[in-house]
Amino acid sequence: MTLTAYLLTGLLLFSLGLITVLSRRNQIAILVGTELMMTAASLNFLAFNRFTALDPVVGQIVVLVIIGLAAAEVSIFLSILMVLYRSRHSIDVEEMRELKG
Amino acid sequence: MDPTAITLATTFVPFLAFAVALLFFMRQPVVAKAIVLAGGLVSVAGSLVLLAGGPREPVRFLWFSSGDVTLHFGFIYDGLSLAFGAVVALITLCIQTYSVGYMAKDPAQTRFFAMLGLFGWAMLSFVYAVDLLQSFIFWELVGLASFFLIGFWYEKPAAAAAAKKAFIMTRVGDVGLFIGILIILNTVGMFDIPGLLDPETGLRAQVSPGMLTLVMVLVFVGIMGKSAQFPLHTWLPDAMQGPTPVSALLHSATMVAAGVYLFARLNPLFMASEATLLTVLCISTVTALLSSTIAMVERDIKKVLAYSSISQLGFMLMALAAGGFFAGVFHLITHALFKALLFLCAGSYIHHCDSMEIEEIGRRGGRKMRWTTAGLLIGGGALAGIPPLAGFWSKEEIFAALSHNGAMVFVAAAFLAALLTAYYTFRMIFLILLPASEEHHGDAHGHGHDSPAVMLGPMMLLAAGAVLAGFGGGWLARLLDVEREHHTLLAMLPAIGVVALGIAWAWWDFGRRSAARTGLVARVRPLHTLFVNKWYIDAFYAAVVARLTDLLASFFHTVENKGLDDGFDGAARGFVESGWLTARLQSGWVQSYAGTAVVMFALFGIYLGLR
């Protein structure tokens, strides 16, 4: 496997995540999309770590931070969603347009 | 004692009196009066001490300096300021004392006396000012104080209008003066009066003759406004709307005298500019003649005196412009004394006869007020120029100065003006003294009883001044450090003759038993109409100047309303509209924002890649 293959996989994962974030109306789906994008980022870090980094430890630390960050993010995101659902009985992102100018 | 401290006391104590009276004693007029009178007394004492000390070097304090320009505050102690300062302080005190009686029943006395204090402060500070800018500041304060006093009865629309007119018309002149001062700042860069007057290093040495003429003409425009010279004289008769003591103050030692004083102060500079002198001579001659003709037909005693003031101011400026420095200053001082006296007499008559009409005062037995009538005779005699009263000597000096340096036409005009002065003065006196008919009634008002002593006292003091001041000419000349030539009796004959002729004419028209009491002018219809309508100058201002100003104002109003206002409104509306337009982009739909961000980011990346 070459670096390019890893990067292409990362790009694919990122694009899928982005499309999900931009197109889905369900907020849980959007959450899933962001997770995908973060995974793509992690994959890139690991690939560069494997092929080009002088000190192999750096990339791995970053990935560990990303995983921790993702876990924290999911917990906060889900709790916000709970509150939102309780007050609006919907998690459809298209209905949330209070900030319309 | 230090002259600086004395001058500070002389000038500043009236201001303190003004402030204390107005701030703390609004409801205790007795205390306020006492304070202002005490302030006036301090001024008189201070100015007399200064006068006794004689001329000395000016003192200056640095106010501030910026770059090349250094501004001083200070006091000048030459014969002119010392003599005139004493006269101002003395007359102000006389009038303040007189007001105690005259204004006794007015509900707003404190304000009146406080303003008299303010007036005294402004005028005394102006007289002793060493710096031209300092002079200008107090010059304007004099105008402000007279605005307050002319409009003292501000609930009376005529008084409010007169105050406004006085303020605005003098301001028209002050604009000229201010431009002149700015030119001096620009060319010489200093305002120190003795410095400016210096022939080697002063204004004359530093600017071209043309520039000097321009500056002096502009300064004279200011003097025209302040000293009520044609064509800016119309505010002065209207200023009669103020209480009579105010008129006395305004017409004698303060306000109008400030203009003549400024001329005398800058006399060497005026002397250096022939063209200005000729302008001044022409304008003052026109003023002297024009206002005496109006005084010939005026029926209101205060207005007669007002027009006579304008005419006498013209006289002073004629003398000064003809090079008669001593004559002008001498007449300024004697006129201050006898004109204050005349106004106080007029106030006394008005107080008792409830009328300003000369004939009405005569009919209601004004002549039975013995002391007042004596004052009127002395003051009127001095104004007409009967020897040996004060006015005779100073007018004699003016004739001499004019015949030395002026063209014959000006001498003739001066004699004509003196003739008219004698005529209208004695018209007034005869109408009061020898009324055609007299009311006989013994009402409770007590006509025939004279004014209280507090009013008569100052009048007697001024009357003594009007009698004796004429003999002080030699002393004044020494104080001013000028040569005064000896006048023979023969040289005085024309002046005496002119006065006698004027009095005889007035006697023929108004005095003798079978006189028509209408006057010669009244029998010549067109002349009478012209004079009664004040040569249509006010009408001209109302019809042309005021209308032009209105037109200009409405033009600017339109520009402001239609152009600027609507323009800004339109621009603001445009911003609001465009705001609504861009607000539509903000849909509130988060995913569209994110999409836009991604697209922009991608475009930016492509741009960076391609670069």
Side-chain angles (χ1 to χ4, degrees):
Chain A
M1 292 277 276
T2 60
L3 177 61
T4 319
Y6 284 109
L7 290 185
L8 280 177
T9 317
L11 179 64
L12 184 70
L13 274 174
F14 189 84
S15 308
L16 289 174
L18 189 62
I19 289 165
T20 317
V21 167
L22 291 183
S23 61
R24 298 300 295 262
R25 297 170 61 186
N26 188 324
Q27 297 211 15
I28 294 186
I30 290 175
L31 176 59
V32 172
T34 56
E35 290 302 316
L36 267 181
M37 285 158 78
M38 278 200 241
T39 319
S42 308
L43 188 61
N44 273 15
F45 271 111
L46 285 176
F48 282 118
N49 187 45
R50 163 77 179 75
F51 289 100
T52 60
L54 298 174
D55 182 1
V57 180
V58 182
Q60 294 174 22
I61 290 175
V62 172
V63 171
L64 284 174
V65 169
I66 290 178
I67 290 171
L69 207 76
E73 181 225 329
V74 165
S75 63
I76 293 170
F77 200 122
L78 285 176
S79 58
I80 292 174
L81 274 186
M82 292 283 287
V83 177
L84 259 181
Y85 185 76
R86 251 186 234 154
S87 63
R88 312 173 65 110
H89 302 289
S90 155
I91 49 169
D92 187 339
V93 80
E94 291 213 1
E95 284 175 20
M96 297 175 190
R97 294 197 175 189
E98 273 79 4
L99 288 180
K100 187 176 182 337
Chain B
M1 212 172 131
D2 179 29
T4 313
I6 300 175
T7 325
L8 273 177
T10 308
T11 55
F12 205 65
V13 168
F15 177 75
L16 282 183
F18 152 76
V20 171
L22 209 57
L23 287 178
F24 303 116
F25 297 106
M26 205 61 196
R27 277 168 226 292
Q28 288 97 348
V30 179
V31 185
K33 268 185 251 187
I35 291 173
V36 172
L37 283 180
L41 211 57
V42 170
S43 289
V44 171
S47 62
L48 288 179
V49 169
L50 287 174
L51 182 61
R56 60 183 110 216
E57 282 299 299
V59 290
R60 302 181 183 87
F61 309 98
L62 185 66
W63 180 16
F64 70 82
S65 75
S66 159
D68 299 337
V69 182
T70 312
L71 288 180
H72 289 97
F73 251 66
F75 305 116
I76 194 165
Y77 302 107
D78 60 355
L80 181 62
S81 68
L82 291 176
F84 195 58
V87 171
V88 170
L90 206 64
I91 290 183
T92 309
L93 181 66
C94 280
I95 288 165
Q96 283 167 344
T97 316
Y98 176 91
S99 307
V100 172
Y102 191 83
M103 302 296 283
K105 295 196 182 82
D106 199 280
Q109 282 175 64
T110 302
R111 185 160 54 89
F112 184 78
F113 280 90
M115 289 307 162
L116 287 184
L118 179 72
F119 213 156
W121 168 62
M123 189 65 196
L124 283 167
S125 305
F126 168 73
V127 168
Y128 288 111
V130 77
D131 192 278
L132 200 54
L133 194 69
Q134 186 192 359
S135 291
F136 185 70
I137 291 170
F138 288 108
W139 168 280
E140 293 291 355
L141 279 170
V142 168
L144 180 74
S146 56
F147 168 78
F148 285 138
L149 283 170
I150 295 168
F152 176 70
W153 288 315
Y154 56 82
E155 62 275 20
K156 207 165 65 170
K164 201 170 70 180
K165 185 172 180 181
F167 199 67
I168 292 174
M169 290 204 77
T170 51
R171 190 52 21 83
V172 171
D174 292 349
V175 171
L177 175 59
F178 193 57
I179 296 173
I181 288 180
L182 288 183
I183 294 178
I184 291 178
L185 173 69
N186 224 10
T187 49
V188 190
M190 66 167 176
F191 287 132
D192 189 57
I193 292 174
L196 287 173
L197 297 185
D198 193 298
E200 261 93 55
T201 58
L203 190 63
R204 257 177 295 171
Q206 297 204 22
V207 299
S208 63
M211 196 54 142
L212 183 67
T213 303
L214 176 67
V215 171
M216 292 336 279
V217 166
L218 283 169
V219 170
F220 180 63
V221 169
I223 294 174
M224 269 161 69
K226 208 66 152 188
S227 285
Q229 296 298 294
F230 174 82
L232 296 179
H233 65 280
T234 58
W235 66 269
L236 195 55
D238 286 27
M240 292 300 113
Q241 289 294 339
T244 310
V246 172
S247 313
L249 196 57
L250 215 69
H251 282 242
S252 55
T254 59
M255 191 69 185
V256 294
V260 180
Y261 180 81
L262 185 65
F263 194 112
R265 178 62 54 245
L266 302 178
N267 193 49
L269 294 179
F270 278 107
M271 287 303 127
S273 162
E274 285 292 329
T276 317
L277 286 183
L278 192 62
T279 317
V280 176
L281 205 49
C282 290
I283 288 181
S284 53
T285 309
V286 168
T287 311
L289 285 176
L290 186 111
S291 50
S292 5
T293 59
I294 302 174
M296 285 164 73
V297 295
E298 193 54 70
R299 308 166 67 88
D300 182 325
I301 185 168
K302 281 175 78 180
K303 290 235 166 122
V304 171
L305 295 177
Y307 280 109
S308 81
S309 292
I310 300 178
S311 142
Q312 299 306 308
L313 290 164
F315 246 68
M316 295 168 207
L317 287 173
M318 277 168 88
L320 288 170
F325 174 66
F326 170 70
V329 176
F330 192 24
H331 197 54
L332 177 65
I333 290 174
T334 57
H335 172 259
L337 291 167
F338 64 70
K339 189 50 66 69
L341 169 64
L342 278 173
F343 267 109
L344 296 190
C345 292
S348 183
Y349 282 131
I350 294 167
H351 204 56
H352 280 261
C353 301
D354 285 330
S355 175
M356 298 194 188
E357 297 263 315
I358 299 172
E359 289 171 39
E360 200 57 31
I361 291 172
R363 194 169 312 128
R364 294 189 186 171
R367 69 195 171 117
K368 287 180 193 151
M369 301 162 64
R370 291 219 179 80
W371 291 101
T372 307
T373 306
L376 179 78
L377 281 173
I378 293 172
L383 172 61
I386 298 180
L389 301 173
F392 168 72
W393 302 102
S394 50
K395 271 191 196 176
E396 172 54 33
E397 290 288 342
I398 292 179
F399 293 138
L402 278 170
S403 49
H404 267 298
N405 297 334
M408 252 348 261
V409 56
F410 295 116
V411 182
F415 274 108
L416 182 58
L419 172 74
L420 296 182
T421 305
Y423 174 76
Y424 67 68
T425 310
F426 274 84
R427 164 179 175 265
M428 177 176 76
I429 291 176
F430 287 143
L431 282 176
I432 289 177
L433 240 54
L434 310 165
S437 62
E438 205 170 342
E439 285 174 22
H440 289 285
H441 53 79
D443 62 346
H445 227 74
H447 290 313
H449 291 167
D450 217 326
S451 297
V454 71
M455 287 163 75
L456 289 177
M459 282 158 66
M460 291 308 111
L461 190 62
L462 288 172
V467 174
L468 299 174
F471 302 107
W475 172 80
L476 182 67
R478 273 195 302 284
L479 190 64
L480 293 174
D481 198 19
V482 287
E483 286 290 315
R484 184 193 186 214
E485 57 192 287
H486 186 70
H487 298 292
T488 56
L489 189 64
L490 193 68
M492 293 178 185
L493 271 181
I496 300 174
V498 158
V499 174
L501 188 63
I503 297 173
W505 181 14
W507 168 260
W508 183 259
D509 276 353
F510 299 100
R512 66 202 164 91
R513 197 169 294 272
S514 57
R517 289 189 164 72
T518 44
L520 179 67
V521 180
R523 293 193 286 275
V524 188
R525 269 286 126 201
L527 266 188
H528 186 249
T529 325
L530 184 65
F531 293 172
V532 165
N533 288 299
K534 297 155 190 136
W535 292 73
Y536 294 101
I537 293 169
D538 264 329
F540 169 78
Y541 284 154
V544 181
V545 179
R547 195 163 297 166
L548 280 180
T549 316
D550 276 354
L551 268 178
L552 201 65
S554 68
F555 168 71
F556 282 122
H557 183 250
T558 320
V559 167
E560 200 265 332
N561 259 10
K562 293 265 153 53
L564 291 177
D565 261 15
D566 287 5
F568 282 119
D569 278 1
R573 251 196 307 277
F575 284 123
V576 170
E577 290 296 320
S578 62
W580 283 120
L581 222 66
T582 46
R584 280 202 211 144
L585 291 175
Q586 199 163 9
S587 59
W589 181 23
V590 189
Q591 282 173 320
S592 82
Y593 301 167
T596 314
V598 168
V599 170
M600 295 315 289
F601 212 73
L603 286 177
F604 188 59
I606 292 170
Y607 166 74
L608 282 184
L610 289 180
R611 204 164 56 120

